[in-house]
Amino acid sequence: MRPLKGNSNTDGRTFMLELLVPPDSDARAAEKALDILHDCVMWVYIFTGPEQFDEDKLPARQMLWDLVRRREKLKIEAKPEPGQDEELGKIREKLAGLVKTITPGYKYTGTVYREIGMQNSDFGGMENVGNTTITTNRIMPFPQITDPAFEYMIRVKVHEYYHNQNGSEVTGRSPFEIWLNEAVTVHVEEQYHAFLFGEDYQRLGRVLELLAPASGTFALDSGAASMPIIPDGFNDPNDLITAVTYVKSPEYVRMVESLIGKETFARGLDRYFKKFSHSNASTRDLIEAMEEESRVPLKEMSETWLKQTRFLLSKSQQNTTNLPGNLLSSSNSTSLLAESPGNSRSGQPCGRERERPCRGAGKDKRRKRRDCN
């Protein structure tokens, strides 16, 4: 094993980034892996936090991002051109001033953050404070790497790094609440993936994963071994490492964000992290933090989504009215029911009603769009 070191700093504070990989690894690939990790660290610091959706501060955040990338390019050039040292000093001055104009996101508090290649693992990555293990074939890029594998490498790096805040500094009170550590972390991972590749592309990939026949999250959630996001029990810890935890529970988080608004959600998450920093939290603690920030009741809705298996069935009715020269359409409200395991094959929906944020659209003959929430 050999350490390859880099550093990350924005406001004058520095910590080391290390990569421990097999001895014969390609040095250029390892350097690229550190560059990717550095970008993950900087994005979390610049683009998350309680004010991340403040449009007025977005230009400052984007400028910080661009300046950091320029700074790193100057630092790694083997033969800097005349005047680059002076430019580097000016960039650092600008960064120090700009960072004071925003409320940044998570900042790593240790002195070393290390990724360790470990091939014999059934997980893509595993967070440990200061020492994250990542499967060796996804810790560095290589010439034959496919596009999906490259994207996965980026996602697992930002995912495991963000676990330093959500999973280490604040962690679930019991194994039954592993979703607390994973759902928000995946949510942030998806934000970063969308930042790099576009929101439409990111969301389409998630929908395909949800709907994939046999192997998709919906198929898993309808199977005989389906468990709710918060199960009553489990036989093996790996029972909890499924798409229910890593796909369905982030969808619940996304739904809460839709209900209370992105800005409010970000502030609620900040409230949760500050209140339970360096301690354990429960599902109720997260929900109450969101309720306190939004003044929106979420407990009853959360109880059905988190403790019930399977997914909802959405039923709608459409009435058409003939008027002279026009055909107008109107939709009634939907009936959202969870499918019961006992009746899933009969096609009869039953269970408790579930709420969800929903937006529909209709058009009349004159092509006028009508949105309804």
Side-chain angles (χ1 to χ4, degrees):
M1 306 290 280
R2 61 173 173 164
L4 297 169
K5 299 182 179 180
N7 64 41
S8 174
N9 68 317
T10 51
D11 55 358
R13 297 187 58 174
T14 301
F15 66 91
M16 300 302 297
L17 299 178
E18 290 187 0
L19 193 71
L20 297 180
V21 291
D24 296 328
S25 298
D26 187 315
R28 289 174 299 176
E31 289 168 4
K32 181 61 177 177
L34 279 173
D35 289 341
I36 293 169
L37 175 59
H38 180 274
D39 284 350
C40 294
V41 171
M42 296 309 307
W43 180 85
V44 168
Y45 181 70
I46 294 172
F47 287 102
T48 65
E51 297 177 358
Q52 61 185 278
F53 297 109
D54 186 341
E55 293 291 337
D56 294 335
K57 301 289 182 66
L58 187 57
R61 294 179 190 274
Q62 187 61 53
M63 189 176 297
L64 277 166
W65 176 258
D66 294 339
L67 285 171
V68 165
R69 293 177 71 82
R70 175 60 180 164
R71 180 196 67 186
E72 294 307 303
K73 184 176 185 297
L74 291 173
K75 283 166 57 179
I76 64 175
E77 286 181 349
K79 296 180 180 179
E81 298 176 1
Q84 282 191 350
D85 286 342
E86 183 180 350
E87 182 184 358
L88 196 55
K90 289 180 179 178
I91 288 175
R92 284 171 171 153
E93 264 185 52
K94 288 181 181 178
L95 286 171
L98 274 173
V99 78
K100 294 176 182 177
T101 68
I102 69 167
T103 302
Y106 172 71
K107 179 166 60 177
Y108 186 67
T109 57
T111 57
V112 178
Y113 179 73
R114 183 181 296 112
E115 287 185 341
I116 305 169
M118 187 175 71
Q119 186 55 36
N120 295 326
S121 171
D122 56 353
F123 304 118
M126 185 63 205
E127 70 277 9
N128 299 282
V129 179
N131 292 282
T132 285
T133 60
I134 294 179
T135 182
T136 306
N137 63 4
R138 292 296 181 268
I139 200 171
M140 297 185 298
F142 52 91
Q144 298 81 16
I145 195 170
T146 62
D147 288 348
F150 186 81
E151 289 178 38
Y152 179 85
M153 179 186 64
I154 293 173
R155 294 177 71 135
V156 75
K157 285 179 181 292
V158 73
H159 180 104
E160 303 306 335
Y161 174 74
Y162 193 74
H163 266 316
N164 284 285
Q165 181 175 34
N166 188 54
S168 294
E169 288 194 6
V170 180
T171 192
R173 189 167 291 174
S174 76
F176 299 97
E177 292 169 305
I178 188 176
W179 83 275
L180 278 176
N181 293 355
E182 299 302 338
V184 170
T185 301
V186 171
H187 187 69
V188 172
E189 168 200 323
E190 291 180 340
Q191 283 183 281
Y192 185 53
H193 186 256
F195 176 81
L196 294 178
F197 298 100
E199 291 185 6
D200 291 343
Y201 175 76
Q202 189 282 319
R203 189 59 186 159
L204 179 60
R206 174 59 82 210
V207 170
L208 291 174
E209 187 173 359
L210 286 163
L211 298 176
S215 62
T217 307
F218 283 174
L220 172 67
D221 201 22
S222 299
S226 176
M227 297 194 337
I229 293 172
I230 302 178
D232 293 325
F234 55 90
N235 296 319
D236 185 281
N238 281 353
D239 292 346
L240 304 177
I241 312 301
T242 68
V244 170
T245 297
Y246 287 86
V247 179
K248 185 178 180 180
S249 69
E251 288 298 306
Y252 161 79
V253 168
R254 189 172 185 269
M255 183 171 63
V256 171
E257 183 189 66
S258 298
L259 284 168
I260 67 177
K262 289 185 175 183
E263 296 86 351
T264 306
F265 178 84
R267 293 194 304 270
L269 196 58
D270 183 64
R271 177 191 288 262
Y272 169 74
F273 286 143
K274 286 178 177 175
K275 184 173 182 180
F276 297 99
S277 180
H278 300 287
S279 64
N280 302 97
S282 67
T283 296
R284 187 180 186 89
D285 293 328
L286 176 64
I287 294 170
E288 286 182 349
M290 294 299 170
E291 287 183 330
E292 289 167 6
E293 192 63 41
S294 67
R295 305 301 178 189
V296 175
L298 299 169
K299 288 188 180 71
E300 185 175 353
M301 179 270 288
S302 299
E303 177 69 17
T304 54
W305 275 98
L306 297 175
K307 296 290 291 181
Q308 203 164 304
T309 59
R310 302 178 184 267
F311 48 91
L312 59 82
L313 299 175
S314 179
K315 292 186 175 182
S316 63
Q317 294 179 329
Q318 189 175 60
N319 298 322
T320 58
T321 306
N322 285 308
L323 296 176
N326 295 297
L327 180 64
L328 299 178
S329 300
S330 64
S331 295
N332 291 336
S333 60
T334 57
S335 172
L336 306 173
L337 300 174
E339 191 176 16
S340 167
N343 291 330
S344 61
R345 296 184 182 181
S346 68
Q348 296 300 316
C350 66
R352 298 178 62 179
E353 290 189 359
R354 297 194 192 186
E355 299 176 66
R356 70 167 181 179
C358 178
R359 179 175 290 274
K363 292 182 180 179
D364 63 21
K365 192 175 181 179
R366 294 164 293 183
R367 302 291 184 184
K368 289 184 178 179
R369 182 182 176 91
R370 295 175 289 120
D371 289 337
C372 56
N373 283 321

